[in-house]
Amino acid sequence: MSSQDVTVVALLADPDAPTEIAQRMAPILPARLADKSGQGRRFDVEVVSEPFTTGTEDPPTLMRRIMDRGRAETWDIVVALTDLPLHSHGRRLLVDLSHEHGLALLSLPPLGGLRLQARALRAVEEAVLSLAASLTTGAEGSPRSQPRLGPFVSRLAPVHPGEVGEEETADFRYVVSGPRGYLRVLLGMVRANRPWRLVPGLSKALATALAAGAIATLDSTIWSLSEALSAQRLVIIMVGSVGLMIGWLIVDGELWHRPAKVSKEARQRARLYNASTVMTVGLGVLVCYAGLIVINSVWALFILNDRVFASMTRTPLRATEYWTLSWFVASVATVGGALGSGLESDEAIRAAAYSRREQERRRMLQADAGD
């Protein structure tokens, strides 16, 4: 423990989202820890942004890295945060704890995709308080044999103690399991990828879609088709165009993950990664589709003439006609955007679809497969 009963806590965070989360919680964490720990203890919190997960997803290896990093500083407790989904003994890891060395490794995806900041704050609090108690009681007080689940866990997902090897740095581990746990991890991975960045990240595809939509809005054949199509067919066309865009981006950008090993665990991991890819790209394409509807509606309101429209379709131009035309044109434009995405480089597609850490992870896997 540092001097004057001050416990120095380092939040060692991967770049991007983990660092942002750590920086937001750092100003409020000392007061919350002091209030909950009692005994007049004070806490200082430092945020260190480092890519400590580069080259590996193995929790024991990461814990050794964190331990070596902590030994080079005067920190009492080190809590490492990453947005990579970690696995141990076939289970999805939530947190590793080493009470002997004052270390914690927290994987953010099992916290889910909603209210992540609040959940991460509670998780870090529980980890720090548990480790700080060991600073007082000594390593003999480590809860290896008597696990204590913090109050935050029951509200997050099915969490239970996980298997820890005898030679590992960690002395306790929490993992998530079951369908709810799987869903939490999946949503957390999607959030880490930030699907809303897909639209500005694919500028060429978006430009092609906008150009296709603008031209289609002026085509009298499109007018007639939009009037002739039923709502059911418009839904089918929308699903088809969105599905085409999703599939094309995944195939063209080589986003589909193929396990290098044929083990059951590798296949399960691949299914999780691919599910997060489909959801990430799907949400991004849906945002793009909604934007195309809005833009096409504004363009139609500005450019269409009701007399010309009525003469070509024999239907007056009303709000319903504006809506169905914009809806149909958005589907046509999405197909054009799928073709335009072929102008994007593979790296541009990956950068738009994945977080920086996930991009590095996939490059590492491709390099390993090439070897």
Side-chain angles (χ1 to χ4, degrees), residues 108-371:
L108 296 175
L111 299 179
L114 301 175
R115 301 177 59 242
L116 179 59
Q117 184 68 42
R119 288 170 171 171
L121 176 61
R122 289 199 300 268
V124 171
E125 281 181 3
E126 290 298 324
V128 171
L129 292 174
S130 178
L131 297 174
S134 295
L135 292 177
T136 302
T137 61
E140 298 79 6
S142 169
R144 173 188 288 270
S145 57
Q146 295 182 354
R148 172 183 175 270
L149 296 180
F152 76 94
V153 219
S154 61
R155 294 195 293 270
L156 297 184
V159 177
H160 56 82
E163 179 183 350
V164 181
E166 289 295 330
E167 302 300 321
E168 293 190 39
T169 304
D171 53 40
F172 207 80
R173 171 174 294 147
Y174 293 130
V175 296
V176 297
S177 61
R180 287 182 59 210
Y182 178 88
L183 182 60
R184 291 282 186 180
V185 175
L186 181 59
L187 293 177
M189 293 173 66
V190 173
R191 190 187 193 283
N193 287 333
R194 302 179 179 181
W196 53 87
R197 300 188 308 182
L198 190 69
V199 177
L202 299 177
S203 57
K204 295 177 182 176
L206 183 59
T208 303
L210 290 173
I215 295 172
T217 304
L218 301 176
D219 193 327
S220 60
T221 303
I222 297 293
W223 301 349
S224 301
L225 284 174
S226 67
E227 288 301 309
L229 292 172
S230 63
Q232 291 81 359
R233 289 192 176 186
L234 286 170
V235 170
I236 293 173
I237 294 171
M238 176 186 70
V239 172
S241 63
V242 169
L244 176 64
M245 182 71 161
I246 294 171
W248 182 262
L249 287 174
I250 291 175
V251 172
D252 188 52
E254 298 181 356
L255 305 182
W256 198 255
H257 175 69
R258 294 177 177 84
K261 302 178 181 178
V262 295
S263 64
K264 179 180 178 181
E265 182 176 345
R267 290 195 300 269
Q268 290 176 343
R269 205 177 282 193
R271 284 195 293 268
L272 181 64
Y273 288 131
N274 289 331
S276 70
T277 295
V278 172
M279 289 187 64
T280 299
V281 177
L283 287 174
V285 171
L286 286 175
V287 171
C288 181
Y289 190 91
L292 287 173
I293 290 179
V294 173
I295 294 173
N296 291 332
S297 297
V298 174
W299 175 240
L301 285 170
F302 175 76
I303 204 68
L304 291 185
N305 181 279
D306 55 349
R307 287 180 294 179
V308 175
F309 185 90
S311 66
M312 299 299 298
T313 64
R314 298 182 180 179
T315 303
L317 187 57
R318 297 164 299 192
T320 304
E321 281 64 39
Y322 277 113
W323 163 250
T324 55
L325 177 62
S326 300
W327 186 7
F328 182 50
V329 167
S331 298
V332 174
T334 300
V335 174
L339 298 176
S341 66
L343 302 174
E344 305 280 2
S345 66
D346 293 347
E347 285 300 318
I349 296 176
R350 295 191 192 102
Y354 294 133
S355 67
R356 184 185 306 173
R357 306 305 304 154
E358 181 65 9
Q359 293 176 58
E360 293 177 357
R361 186 194 71 80
R362 290 180 179 254
R363 279 195 293 267
M364 179 189 70
L365 292 176
Q366 289 178 350
D368 291 344
D371 295 338

